[in-house]
Amino acid sequence: MHLLNLIRRSAFKLIAPKMTKYGLFLTMPSKINTCGTLRMIYLNKSISKNADENIDLDEWKLVVLSGLQKEAFEKASPEEEPNIAAIKEYIDMSRRLGKAAPENITEEQLERLIEYPSVTSRNKYLAFLASKEMRKNAEKEKKKKQREEREELKKTMENEELVPKSRLFRAIWESSMDVMYNWKAAQAMSFGQPLVFDMDYNDMSEREMQNTVKQMMECEGANRKAVEPFHLYYCNFKEDGPYHKEFLKRYGDAWDNLFVTVTEKSYVELFPRDQIVYLTADSPNVMETFDHNKTYIIGSLVDKTIRKGVSLARAKRLKLATAQLPLERYFHWKTGAKVLTLDQMIMILIALKNTGNWKEALEFVPKRKHEGFVDPSLQQFINRQKNKRASEQNFKKKLLVDELSKKRLWNGLWEE
Amino acid sequence: MGFFLPKTNWVLQTFVSTKQNFPAVCRCFTSTTSWRWAESTDPKAFHQEIKIKDDIMTKKKAGKKRFAPKPFSAFVAGSSKMRAMYNTNNAVANDSSSPLNIVSTPDTPLSAKEWEKLKEEYQHFKKFEDVMFDSMVHNHSPVDVAKSLLVAVAKRDGDIEYSYLVKYLTLCVFHKDIGEIYDIYNIMKAKYKSLEASAYSLLIKGLSVSSHWKETLVLLEKVKKVSFHSRQNYGDCIEGALLNQERNLAFELFHEMVAENLIPASATIKLFFDFCQPVKDDHLKNKCIDILYYLRENQIYPDESLMLSVKQWFESIPGENWKGNLTSMNNNSRQCPSCGHLLEDINLSEEEFINVKDKIKKDVIEGTDVFRNTSPQELERFQRFVNEHPPFDVVIDGLNVARTTPLNPSSKTLLDVVVYLAQKYDRLLVLGRRHMLKNSFQWKKRDMDDMQKKADFFFTDNMSKDDPFLLYATFHSGGHCMLVTRDLLRDHRAVLSDNVTRRLFFKWQRGHQMVVSSYVPGKILTFEDALPYDTVVQTDGNTWHIPYDDNLSKRVSYEIPVKWLCLQKK
């Protein structure tokens, strides 16, 4: 092999000058793929030998070392604890390597980072912080752009003459919508069907707790906007407990103005036992219909490590009726756990309450989890039959019309 | 297969290099070749397919065996893979082509200008240098080529990014270019206050085989400051120490590593046995034997190469005349077929047994919430039941056994098993759920009545889990009681709170679990018996028996190796 190479190369070297004259080998050496037998680079080297031999392969070291003096000054400035500084440096280096790590990190986050017991958990946390930071930056950028656009719009508006237009109503702002929602929520507080969130889950991690509270806020928002809202109960709520702290952090002052019943009592004390249905994916019973006289309970729990049967155990202890959504009956399930998020649950329940139609309600199950509904409902079947018949009739009509028009055409032709 | 690959490569290269329009052609070809490689170089997939087909063929011929359950050998290495293959009937998925291979790397150094030109060609990459370096690392390009790219970058930017340095370092470490590694080390030291873990690991790996190996110990300390050690880092340091005849230091590092709960790689342990081979002093010998005891304590099984080193090490001890044999045990007796010695018994000691029993009650049945698996009333009922009855000989997982074959009504299958076992053992217990008592197609009332004459029954609620009760009933009956189920009980092992108990539980399971291995209704019923010996590194002074993983069968964590090294002093 090697010998063959040598011969070929030498042969090429002989031919090369001639060929280059004709411009046949003016391709770039860099285009050549990995090691082959006919190395065109050799050829090129022989052509432009002077240029190539000048590559000083260790030149980069000199360049890098010469750049060092500048950085040496920068290094002296930070005065922190050596340990924390080292870890900050470490994060910075990981970022330079292209790993997911945040640019800025607070003391609190650093402390939490150090507490993590393994490389993977630390890396995960860093990646989480990095993505958070990225999202924040993107939002900032977007807002900045919007502001600029608005200002530009203002400028153009100023140039035009403002003609007062006559309108029937004043513009409906968000605040007026809010007033309406609040009215409805107040109405629900006195007459609405209760829906209970069971907040007696205390062994959640911090992340899980944050997610839970965020989902519950979504729930409250979705419920407000419903045509007929539920009367939400937050049961087993502990004053100054982890839920309370998280809620205060998110809601701020608005927490005290929510149209929600927050209570330390258990739902068993508030409602008659035989009316309570605990919704849990582990339940052996499948929910058939939505009952307007029942009190449904949702466990306000996010468990990233799916702990099976936690809420079912709770219901078993209190001897309550349980139910799960008929997901398997309606869907070709694809991936993912059958545990849905709290906001998805409430959307489904609201839809059920207002329409009683499972298909419409289960639209809120994430699309990625299933491959469509199991079988077309009867209505759909009838619709399709109708369509079929209609299309057949249409087709016949069309044929008739065609024939007629043809006839006419022919007649016309003959007439001419 | 081996000579086939380079040949195609060669043909391709010549073909490509005669073409004028390069990048497009290159890209298209690299992709096609990688596909072809993926298809042709996967001999396992190939064999598997044939194997499965063969199985099916023999089955069809045999005819009789059509109703037998799939081959099931519970804990033997490689059986889970076999089962997976059998169940899915699929060959293993092919590796897809690597994304790192999209850029063709030059094979000689280029000048800055030429790099510039090349960069223009790959404009669509955001960071050409990144992609190029990745590709070089992937293809193991020569160091000089990467160096020339560094020069080009340095000339252009006046500096070199950290990530390029690390990627270049990877290449140098691969080619073992020690001078270059040391230079990079010095540059990094001067430029950055501290590095991140991957650069440290690379430096440790690179420097450990050089004359600067002492630096690796400094680096090892530095890693500790910012991150966690990996067993690879320790392994490299140990290699450095051993190469330079610093055995005591190597052993110190080993102990440090073990103290940090890192499990040393097989290759690291192999180093000790390789480098301590001319065993002269007793101190060194004892240290090596300590390592074997460490393997025993932690149930680590050596791989084939380590096993060979250990064998050689023993045979090289002067004056003791050790003889090593490779063998595999007979599954029915504790005797080693090579030397006739009895292997260790699989039964747990009394203390261990009680410990595991208590842990099962606490962790598996009760867990964090009794209501998750059962209810307090049921637990009480069960305990009363167990206490009222004298110890059982066999406990049967009714629902699991009944599902052995789908073609037979469940109650019939269970009846067959119960009748069969009743001939051998006196006292049987069948655990099931309440719904089995309802007369249905699967559960015939008549069969159930027949069974209840031969065995005791305990039915849990339909919502409860029966496996925890199964385990507890078996343990309650004592060390002689056997368990019949096809379940591997992995989830119950996982909820046990500590590692030692988990290991003991697995040992007990290997010794006490019987599995229905083949069943044809009315004709064949065979059991795979429990192992009588414990699979662990063991010695009695004059012999060593060491189970090891051979290179062919891929063992998963809940399986045990079948091959043994038998060492005997003569």
Side-chain angles (χ1 to χ4, degrees):
Chain A
M1 208 44 190
H2 195 67
L3 201 83
L4 200 71
N5 268 354
L6 271 180
I7 294 167
R8 285 190 189 185
R9 266 178 218 151
S10 49
F12 255 82
K13 270 183 194 173
L14 284 177
I15 307 165
K18 275 186 193 169
M19 300 295 240
T20 39
K21 268 184 198 168
Y22 302 111
L24 277 175
F25 279 88
L26 288 176
T27 47
M28 287 192 326
S30 48
K31 283 182 184 174
I32 284 113
N33 202 348
T34 44
C35 53
T37 44
L38 302 179
R39 302 191 186 190
M40 303 255 286
I41 285 170
Y42 272 87
L43 172 70
N44 254 312
K45 247 190 168 178
S46 62
I47 302 165
S48 54
K49 220 171 182 177
N50 298 332
D52 266 334
E53 274 189 349
N54 284 344
I55 300 178
D56 177 12
L57 289 175
D58 285 333
E59 200 182 344
W60 64 275
K61 289 176 191 165
L62 295 176
V63 175
V64 173
L65 287 172
S66 68
L68 272 184
Q69 263 74 38
K70 280 181 275 169
E71 285 193 25
F73 286 103
E74 291 168 23
K75 265 204 274 182
S77 55
E79 285 173 27
E80 277 170 315
E81 253 184 89
N83 193 15
I84 287 191
I87 287 195
K88 269 190 177 169
E89 188 97 351
Y90 177 81
I91 295 168
D92 185 43
M93 295 319 269
S94 316
R95 231 170 61 81
R96 288 193 198 200
L97 203 61
K99 283 184 186 167
E103 204 171 342
N104 302 307
I105 188 163
T106 63
E107 293 292 317
E108 195 189 334
Q109 286 166 340
L110 254 182
E111 270 166 32
R112 278 191 65 187
L113 181 76
I114 294 170
E115 273 168 29
Y116 280 111
S118 73
V119 181
T120 13
S121 53
R122 277 191 189 180
N123 283 349
K124 266 186 192 167
Y125 185 59
L126 281 179
F128 164 69
L129 289 181
S131 72
K132 210 165 131 186
E133 194 178 50
M134 222 148 76
R135 231 175 301 140
K136 227 178 191 175
N137 287 346
E139 216 157 85
K140 250 186 206 167
E141 200 97 310
K142 200 178 160 191
K143 273 191 181 161
K144 201 177 160 193
K145 229 181 195 175
Q146 279 176 346
R147 208 181 305 136
E148 278 168 12
E149 272 174 20
R150 224 178 295 142
E151 267 163 28
E152 239 170 65
L153 201 72
K154 250 187 194 171
K155 270 180 200 168
T156 49
M157 290 282 272
E158 274 170 11
N159 293 337
E160 289 172 22
E161 274 182 50
L162 280 173
V163 185
K165 287 170 190 162
S166 70
R167 288 192 178 111
L168 191 54
F169 297 114
R170 284 175 62 190
I172 297 177
W173 299 106
E174 237 169 72
S175 56
S176 34
M177 290 298 282
D178 254 358
V179 171
M180 187 193 69
Y181 288 143
N182 284 346
W183 267 107
K184 264 203 301 190
Q187 206 177 0
M189 290 275 282
S190 29
F191 307 114
Q193 183 181 3
L195 181 71
V196 179
F197 283 95
D198 178 11
M199 310 183 90
D200 198 13
Y201 298 95
N202 295 318
D203 49 351
M204 274 189 271
S205 73
E206 208 174 323
R207 276 286 286 287
E208 287 171 343
M209 183 60 81
Q210 284 169 4
N211 291 354
T212 311
V213 167
K214 190 159 187 213
Q215 286 180 17
M216 289 193 66
M217 287 174 68
E218 296 257 336
C219 285
E220 200 267 334
N223 188 50
R224 264 159 64 87
K225 287 178 185 153
V227 183
E228 252 184 88
F230 282 103
H231 176 192
L232 296 186
Y233 280 82
Y234 292 179
C235 283
N236 293 323
F237 183 88
K238 294 219 171 49
E239 199 76 28
D240 294 324
Y243 280 104
H244 193 189
K245 274 178 200 157
E246 196 62 37
F247 268 125
L248 280 181
K249 208 160 109 191
R250 294 249 181 184
Y251 271 117
D253 295 335
W255 170 244
D256 294 323
N257 302 331
L258 284 185
F259 285 89
V260 165
T261 306
V262 180
T263 166
E264 288 197 15
K265 282 186 188 167
S266 168
Y267 34 84
V268 194
E269 299 168 48
L270 295 173
F271 306 101
R273 260 173 210 266
D274 54 338
Q275 276 185 16
I276 297 176
V277 178
Y278 208 117
L279 295 175
T280 162
D282 297 318
S283 168
N285 314 316
V286 178
M287 189 170 161
E288 300 283 343
T289 49
F290 182 85
D291 192 337
H292 292 268
N293 295 320
K294 288 262 156 85
T295 305
Y296 289 99
I297 301 176
I298 302 172
S300 59
L301 162 78
V302 170
D303 47 348
K304 301 245 171 195
T305 55
I306 293 175
R307 285 171 287 171
K308 274 194 172 168
V310 174
S311 49
L312 183 66
R314 194 169 293 268
K316 248 163 100 181
R317 173 174 291 139
L318 299 170
K319 295 193 180 111
L320 300 174
T322 57
Q324 62 162 305
L325 292 182
L327 296 176
E328 263 168 275
R329 187 180 298 173
Y330 283 91
F331 290 121
H332 292 289
W333 200 258
K334 197 159 62 178
T335 54
K338 296 206 170 84
V339 186
L340 301 180
T341 61
L342 302 177
D343 46 319
Q344 284 158 12
M345 268 318 274
I346 206 171
M347 297 290 252
I348 290 171
L349 289 178
I350 288 170
L352 275 179
K353 188 181 179 217
N354 293 338
T355 63
N357 184 349
W358 275 109
K359 194 164 180 261
E360 213 168 285
L362 293 178
E363 284 293 330
F364 293 103
V365 176
K367 295 276 180 294
R368 66 173 189 283
K369 287 194 173 187
H370 62 83
E371 287 172 327
F373 285 89
V374 164
D375 53 342
S377 61
L378 202 64
Q379 191 56 45
Q380 219 178 355
F381 183 66
I382 292 167
N383 280 346
R384 205 189 291 157
Q385 289 299 62
K386 259 188 199 165
N387 286 341
K388 216 174 171 184
R389 220 172 295 148
S391 64
E392 269 174 20
Q393 277 172 358
N394 275 343
F395 187 61
K396 274 178 193 166
K397 258 186 206 166
K398 210 180 167 190
L399 277 182
L400 259 176
V401 171
D402 274 0
E403 237 168 274
L404 281 174
S405 57
K406 262 181 204 167
K407 262 183 194 168
R408 249 178 239 149
L409 193 71
W410 280 110
N411 289 344
L413 272 177
W414 283 116
E415 271 167 22
E416 267 183 28
Chain B
M1 218 61 93
F3 54 83
F4 167 69
L5 287 177
K7 216 173 189 180
T8 48
N9 198 12
W10 176 78
V11 171
L12 193 126
Q13 294 306 331
T14 44
F15 177 58
V16 163
S17 48
T18 49
K19 283 268 177 188
Q20 295 291 314
N21 183 13
F22 260 113
V25 174
C26 281
R27 235 168 290 141
C28 117
F29 265 93
T30 43
S31 62
T32 51
T33 45
S34 58
W35 272 112
R36 211 173 293 156
W37 287 6
E39 276 169 21
S40 56
T41 51
D42 205 342
K44 270 181 212 152
F46 197 58
H47 283 302
Q48 278 162 10
E49 241 175 38
I50 288 177
K51 220 174 187 178
I52 289 164
K53 266 186 191 162
D54 277 353
D55 275 354
I56 292 166
M57 291 295 278
T58 48
K59 272 232 164 118
K60 273 184 185 165
K61 273 180 194 167
K64 274 183 199 168
K65 273 203 161 185
R66 253 168 64 212
F67 299 113
K70 287 152 193 167
F72 190 94
S73 124
F75 308 115
V76 166
S79 57
S80 86
K81 207 179 167 194
M82 279 285 288
R83 248 174 287 143
M85 240 165 60
Y86 213 102
N87 289 338
T88 54
N89 235 0
N90 274 340
V92 178
N94 291 327
D95 293 352
S96 56
S97 61
S98 166
L100 298 175
N101 216 1
I102 30 178
V103 177
S104 57
T105 51
D107 50 357
T108 43
L110 306 182
S111 69
K113 250 189 212 164
E114 285 164 330
W115 277 117
E116 211 49 48
K117 270 185 198 166
L118 194 60
K119 188 180 173 177
E120 267 166 38
E121 232 165 89
Y122 291 109
Q123 271 170 348
H124 53 285
F125 290 122
K126 235 186 215 170
K127 264 193 160 179
F128 164 74
E129 285 87 359
D130 252 357
V131 181
M132 184 49 96
F133 269 121
D134 280 342
S135 185
M136 279 178 184
V137 170
H138 186 253
N139 294 331
H140 310 308
S141 299
V143 175
D144 282 352
V145 183
K147 225 192 244 181
S148 74
L149 179 55
L150 275 188
V151 172
V153 174
K155 267 187 188 165
R156 196 188 57 203
D157 300 344
D159 194 13
I160 284 171
E161 278 180 37
Y162 176 70
S163 61
Y164 299 162
L165 269 183
V166 173
K167 279 167 189 167
Y168 176 58
L169 180 61
T170 319
L171 213 55
C172 292
V173 169
F174 177 81
H175 289 292
K176 300 209 168 85
D177 189 339
I178 284 149
E180 204 61 26
I181 294 169
Y182 195 63
D183 282 351
I184 300 172
Y185 172 51
N186 283 330
I187 286 173
M188 282 184 164
K189 217 162 51 170
K191 204 171 167 195
Y192 308 110
K193 232 198 258 172
S194 76
L195 310 175
E196 44 67 62
S198 65
Y200 277 131
S201 309
L202 282 169
L203 285 173
I204 289 174
K205 195 180 176 66
L207 293 175
S208 67
V209 290
S210 72
S211 55
H212 310 287
W213 68 277
K214 287 221 159 152
E215 301 271 348
T216 59
L217 301 176
V218 181
L219 289 170
L220 198 65
E221 280 309 303
K222 279 192 177 171
V223 177
K224 185 78 195 165
K225 260 185 204 163
V226 288
S227 180
F228 299 93
H229 284 310
S230 68
R231 65 182 195 174
Q232 185 64 43
N233 287 353
Y234 267 110
D236 290 332
C237 281
I238 288 172
E239 189 178 358
L242 284 173
L243 278 174
N244 293 285
Q245 297 297 320
E246 291 270 357
R247 287 178 189 151
N248 284 332
L249 180 66
F251 276 108
E252 259 172 50
L253 282 171
F254 181 80
H255 292 306
E256 202 179 305
M257 173 183 193
V258 170
E260 286 197 39
N261 271 334
L262 292 171
I263 294 165
S266 220
T268 310
I269 301 176
K270 181 176 164 12
L271 287 172
F272 282 107
F273 286 98
D274 283 347
F275 279 95
C276 301
Q277 226 170 67
V279 194
K280 274 162 203 156
D281 56 320
D282 271 2
H283 183 63
L284 203 62
K285 184 184 143 194
N286 287 339
K287 276 194 163 172
C288 281
I289 286 192
D290 276 349
I291 291 181
L292 287 179
Y293 276 114
Y294 169 79
L295 295 183
R296 175 188 164 80
E297 302 288 296
N298 294 283
Q299 300 253 314
I300 300 167
Y301 303 118
D303 65 4
E304 203 165 323
S305 62
L306 170 57
M307 180 274 301
L308 288 173
S309 288
V310 171
K311 184 169 172 252
Q312 224 169 39
W313 182 82
F314 268 104
E315 283 167 354
S316 75
I317 300 177
E320 294 195 1
N321 198 14
W322 286 90
K323 186 94 186 62
N325 276 321
L326 305 187
T327 172
S328 49
M329 297 297 158
N330 184 356
N331 271 358
N332 298 322
S333 76
R334 276 168 58 198
Q335 220 169 32
C336 167
S338 161
C339 64
H341 253 280
L342 283 186
L343 291 179
E344 271 179 45
D345 190 25
I346 192 133
N347 286 320
L348 304 183
S349 73
E350 202 149 315
E351 198 183 326
E352 288 168 341
F353 192 81
I354 290 170
N355 181 19
V356 178
K357 183 181 159 187
D358 289 345
K359 284 272 165 61
I360 281 180
K361 178 148 185 276
K362 222 168 78 194
D363 295 335
V364 181
I365 300 185
E366 289 170 10
T368 50
D369 187 348
V370 195
F371 285 93
R372 274 173 77 173
N373 292 333
T374 171
S375 64
Q377 292 87 352
E378 195 178 43
L379 191 59
E380 210 190 302
R381 187 165 67 90
F382 174 71
Q383 265 177 328
R384 219 181 314 126
F385 172 86
V386 174
N387 287 331
E388 277 169 6
H389 289 75
F392 297 99
D393 295 325
V394 182
V395 178
I396 302 165
D397 184 353
L399 285 167
N400 183 291
V401 167
R403 292 263 182 276
T404 307
T405 164
L407 297 158
N408 213 16
S410 299
S411 58
K412 188 86 182 64
T413 312
L414 189 56
L415 180 67
D416 281 350
V417 172
V418 167
V419 168
Y420 176 83
L421 286 171
Q423 294 165 359
K424 281 190 174 178
Y425 299 95
D426 282 338
R427 298 195 39 75
L428 311 183
L429 168 67
V430 180
L431 267 153
R433 291 207 178 99
R434 284 251 166 81
H435 69 79
M436 289 158 69
L437 287 171
K438 243 196 217 162
N439 196 10
S440 66
F441 173 72
Q442 287 289 341
W443 298 99
K444 302 253 161 57
K445 190 88 177 49
R446 201 154 39 93
D447 292 340
M448 293 303 285
D449 288 341
D450 284 353
M451 258 184 275
Q452 270 166 343
K453 284 173 202 154
K454 306 235 176 209
D456 284 308
F457 272 73
F458 183 83
F459 295 102
T460 63
D461 286 341
N462 292 340
M463 258 161 88
S464 303
K465 289 185 181 153
D466 53 350
D467 285 355
F469 292 116
L470 184 80
L471 292 179
Y472 190 75
T474 322
F475 265 92
H476 190 87
S477 298
H480 70 288
C481 183
M482 305 298 266
L483 172 71
V484 182
T485 178
R486 277 161 68 86
D487 197 321
L488 292 173
L489 305 172
R490 281 179 288 167
D491 41 351
H492 305 299
R493 180 143 52 105
V495 292
L496 288 172
S497 51
D498 62 312
N499 238 334
V500 179
T501 319
R502 252 175 258 163
R503 221 172 280 147
L504 287 176
F505 176 75
F506 186 42
K507 185 176 165 186
W508 171 84
Q509 192 190 351
R510 289 194 310 253
H512 292 83
Q513 184 170 0
M514 285 159 66
V515 175
V516 181
S517 59
S518 62
Y519 174 64
V520 179
K523 282 175 192 160
I524 305 170
L525 179 62
T526 51
F527 281 90
E528 187 186 301
D529 286 326
L531 295 174
Y533 55 85
D534 188 15
T535 307
V536 70
V537 179
Q538 46 193 276
T539 178
D540 70 340
N542 288 327
T543 61
W544 275 91
H545 284 94
I546 300 170
Y548 68 93
D549 290 321
D550 56 348
N551 291 338
L552 290 173
S553 61
K554 288 264 185 291
R555 189 175 61 86
V556 289
S557 61
Y558 52 88
E559 292 171 345
I560 46 166
V562 283
K563 300 258 173 83
W564 288 74
L565 166 67
C566 162
L567 287 157
Q568 209 180 356
K569 208 198 262 183
K570 282 193 174 149

